Amino acid sequence: MAALLSSQSQCRFYPAAPRSSVSAKRSCFDSHRRPLWFRRLGFRCSSSSSQFPKLDSGWGEVPKKNSFHLKECAISIALAIGLVTGVPTLDRPARASPLGPVLPDLSVLISGPPIKDPGALLRYALPIDNKAIREVQKPLEDITDSLKVSGVRALDLVERNVRQASRALSQGRTLILSSVAEAKKEHGQMLVDKLATGMEELQRIVEEQDRDAVAPKQKELLQYVGDVEEDMVDGFPYEVPEEYRSMPLLKGRATVDMKVKVKDNPNIQDCVFRIVLDGYNAPVTAGNFLDLVERHFYDGMEIQRADGFVVQTGDPVGPAEGFIDPSTEKIRTIPLEIMVTGDKMPIYGATLEELGLYKAQTRLPFNAFGTMAMARDEFDDNSASSQVFWLLKESELTPSNANILDGRYAVFGYVTENEDYLADLKVGDVIESIQVVSGLDNLVNPSYKIVG
């Protein structure tokens, strides 16, 4: 699976030294225009619609009083609170008058422990419907939580996970292989054999009480699982709407390495972040980004925002706020693209909130550190172009499974290696290059090949 490909991606580290305070070398707020954080993240709400009161980054007026319909606007109220407390650049208080408690309504969005591992999120986001392989996958994923338990109890739990996965593989082997695409049967059979052998090896590791060897073997086995699941995908599962069909589209997945030159940090000089782009769930968004990567649009560009909440880049030099297509001499924009769990294709051009889908779960959620998404203008759902951001942490604003960003911004990938070091990036650090590792053949309508 692309998300778990082994690589030589690495950061170069130096002896630890006290961290100096972060000082922005330049701000992504230009003096002659409004800021482009999430392309001016803001929302509106009223008692008669699903619009939100404007919460602009210090530029707009904050309403002194609003009446809210609680069930329709519970998330909106949480957003207002979260934006004021969680985003450093907001310097004005928001005032809202909810009709009653908010948290009980928000709790309906939380369904079980959130999945925060980017590899697991990518595996579960594949467009497959095979219960047998999922029953193998889940106990292997659960090993991560088992290893968090102290003492020998952890290995007891891991042994239970391994036995459960082995039993599921033995019982479901025929059903698993029957779902592998015909052209990939031989490869699928090889992977299943390796998976069975690997679980026997993991069982011996547990018996030998070699706790340190469990996680690497788990990662290997989950890579086999992910590869089998990708082999179950036979072609692209749906047709992109006609109005977007001629755009660069990623019909599948691709992996890129982003090399960043880190300035003024005695611990890190340069770092390579591996990113998996998911075109199954965001073909237009991922295709647009990959096309820009092949144009070397981001090479040499600075990090433009790094505030402990997000890392953001993609605003080109000059007055334009996005990529100007040389063939049209206009900014190329793409629609908001959100895949809802249970749907066959993404929703285009509207937030889930605008559609009244308050409880819908997105297939690519903002659960993981390093979640990658498109920035856009706050009041124009279809204004995304080239500016992208990576979510750095969970907070009151971004709790997993009850995330006020989900359904409002298009996620199209995750950083799967070295994601923790995104937090070390600062404004002014330079993206030396973004290079495609695999999956370029999944890009259709590549505009970078067009002269001009």
Side-chain angles (χ1 to χ4, degrees), residues 266-317:
N267 301 317
I268 305 173
Q269 278 219 334
D270 51 57
C271 192
V272 178
F273 300 94
R274 175 146 291 189
I275 306 169
V276 176
L277 311 176
D278 188 349
Y280 289 123
N281 295 291
V284 177
T285 312
N288 174 73
F289 178 79
L290 192 60
D291 188 67
L292 293 177
V293 166
E294 283 299 288
R295 286 178 174 273
H296 304 285
F297 175 83
Y298 297 99
D299 293 1
M301 187 172 285
E302 292 184 351
I303 298 299
Q304 296 156 356
R305 185 177 181 91
D307 57 7
F309 180 55
V310 297
V311 168
Q312 183 168 327
T313 193
D315 185 5
V317 175

Side-chain angles (χ1 to χ4, degrees), residues 316-371:
V317 175
E321 298 177 355
F323 165 66
I324 297 179
D325 189 334
S327 65
T328 64
E329 297 184 349
K330 297 179 180 179
I331 293 179
R332 183 171 80 190
T333 58
I334 59 173
L336 180 63
E337 184 176 43
I338 306 291
M339 178 70 88
V340 172
T341 300
D343 285 359
K344 299 297 184 182
M345 64 179 295
I347 293 170
Y348 290 91
T351 67
L352 299 188
E353 181 188 10
E354 290 166 346
L355 298 173
L357 301 175
Y358 302 108
K359 298 181 183 180
Q361 299 291 309
T362 56
R363 189 80 63 81
L364 298 175
F366 281 92
N367 281 10
F369 195 102
T371 299

Side-chain angles (χ1 to χ4, degrees), residues 121-436:
L121 288 168
L122 287 162
R123 285 186 285 273
Y124 282 120
L126 284 166
I128 64 171
D129 183 19
N130 185 281
K131 184 179 178 181
I133 191 64
R134 296 302 195 196
E135 289 180 345
V136 175
Q137 178 184 345
K138 187 178 186 307
L140 291 177
E141 303 276 12
D142 289 345
I143 289 174
T144 301
D145 288 332
S146 296
L147 288 174
K148 294 177 182 178
V149 178
S150 60
V152 296
R153 174 65 175 159
L155 289 176
D156 291 340
L157 294 174
V158 171
E159 183 176 21
R160 183 185 303 172
N161 297 143
V162 176
R163 291 185 183 279
Q164 185 179 349
S166 297
R167 183 169 58 251
L169 180 61
S170 177
Q171 295 174 350
R173 187 185 188 101
T174 301
L175 289 174
I176 291 170
L177 291 174
S178 68
S179 292
V180 173
E182 197 61 39
K184 304 174 184 176
K185 290 288 186 185
E186 185 176 347
H187 186 245
Q189 177 71 61
M190 178 192 69
L191 290 170
V192 170
D193 290 343
K194 287 185 175 181
L195 183 58
T197 300
M199 282 196 279
E200 292 175 0
E201 293 169 352
L202 182 53
Q203 181 63 40
R204 287 195 291 273
I205 288 172
V206 174
E207 291 172 355
E208 294 168 0
Q209 302 284 297
D210 188 357
R211 180 171 179 150
D212 293 340
V214 171
K217 180 58 70 172
Q218 176 206 21
K219 182 177 181 180
E220 176 188 324
L221 297 182
L222 284 172
Q223 179 171 334
Y224 293 146
V225 169
D227 288 344
V228 170
E229 292 173 344
E230 288 213 31
D231 282 352
M232 292 178 176
V233 183
D234 190 7
F236 196 69
Y238 56 87
E239 283 289 340
V240 173
E242 186 174 358
E243 59 263 44
Y244 311 127
R245 211 167 288 169
S246 62
M247 292 180 170
L249 305 173
L250 183 60
K251 292 193 170 183
R253 286 183 174 168
T255 302
V256 301
D257 281 349
M258 180 174 72
K259 184 178 181 181
V260 180
K261 184 69 173 178
V262 181
K263 299 180 179 180
D264 303 326
N265 189 323
N267 301 317
I268 305 173
Q269 278 219 334
D270 51 57
C271 192
V272 178
F273 300 94
R274 175 146 291 189
I275 306 169
V276 176
L277 311 176
D278 188 349
Y280 289 123
N281 295 291
V284 177
T285 312
N288 174 73
F289 178 79
L290 192 60
D291 188 67
L292 293 177
V293 166
E294 283 299 288
R295 286 178 174 273
H296 304 285
F297 175 83
Y298 297 99
D299 293 1
M301 187 172 285
E302 292 184 351
I303 298 299
Q304 296 156 356
R305 185 177 181 91
D307 57 7
F309 180 55
V310 297
V311 168
Q312 183 168 327
T313 193
D315 185 5
V317 175
E321 298 177 355
F323 165 66
I324 297 179
D325 189 334
S327 65
T328 64
E329 297 184 349
K330 297 179 180 179
I331 293 179
R332 183 171 80 190
T333 58
I334 59 173
L336 180 63
E337 184 176 43
I338 306 291
M339 178 70 88
V340 172
T341 300
D343 285 359
K344 299 297 184 182
M345 64 179 295
I347 293 170
Y348 290 91
T351 67
L352 299 188
E353 181 188 10
E354 290 166 346
L355 298 173
L357 301 175
Y358 302 108
K359 298 181 183 180
Q361 299 291 309
T362 56
R363 189 80 63 81
L364 298 175
F366 281 92
N367 281 10
F369 195 102
T371 299
M372 186 176 187
M374 289 299 299
R376 62 173 176 83
D377 189 270
E378 66 178 301
F379 298 130
D380 186 351
D381 295 336
N382 299 328
S383 60
S385 178
S386 60
Q387 296 195 46
V388 299
F389 65 92
W390 294 270
L391 184 68
L392 289 186
K393 67 176 183 180
E394 288 193 353
S395 66
E396 292 80 1
L397 184 60
T398 59
S400 297
N401 279 18
N403 199 305
I404 57 86
L405 301 180
D406 286 334
R408 292 181 175 88
Y409 294 88
V411 175
F412 63 100
Y414 296 97
V415 180
T416 60
E417 293 185 20
N418 293 325
E419 63 270 22
D420 289 346
Y421 297 102
L422 285 167
D424 290 287
L425 300 186
K426 305 177 300 301
V427 171
D429 290 343
V430 177
I431 298 173
E432 291 191 348
S433 65
I434 304 181
Q435 297 183 335
V436 179

Side-chain angles (χ1 to χ4, degrees), residues 100-112:
V102 174
L103 292 179
D105 285 75
L106 290 180
S107 66
V108 301
L109 299 178
I110 304 174
S111 55

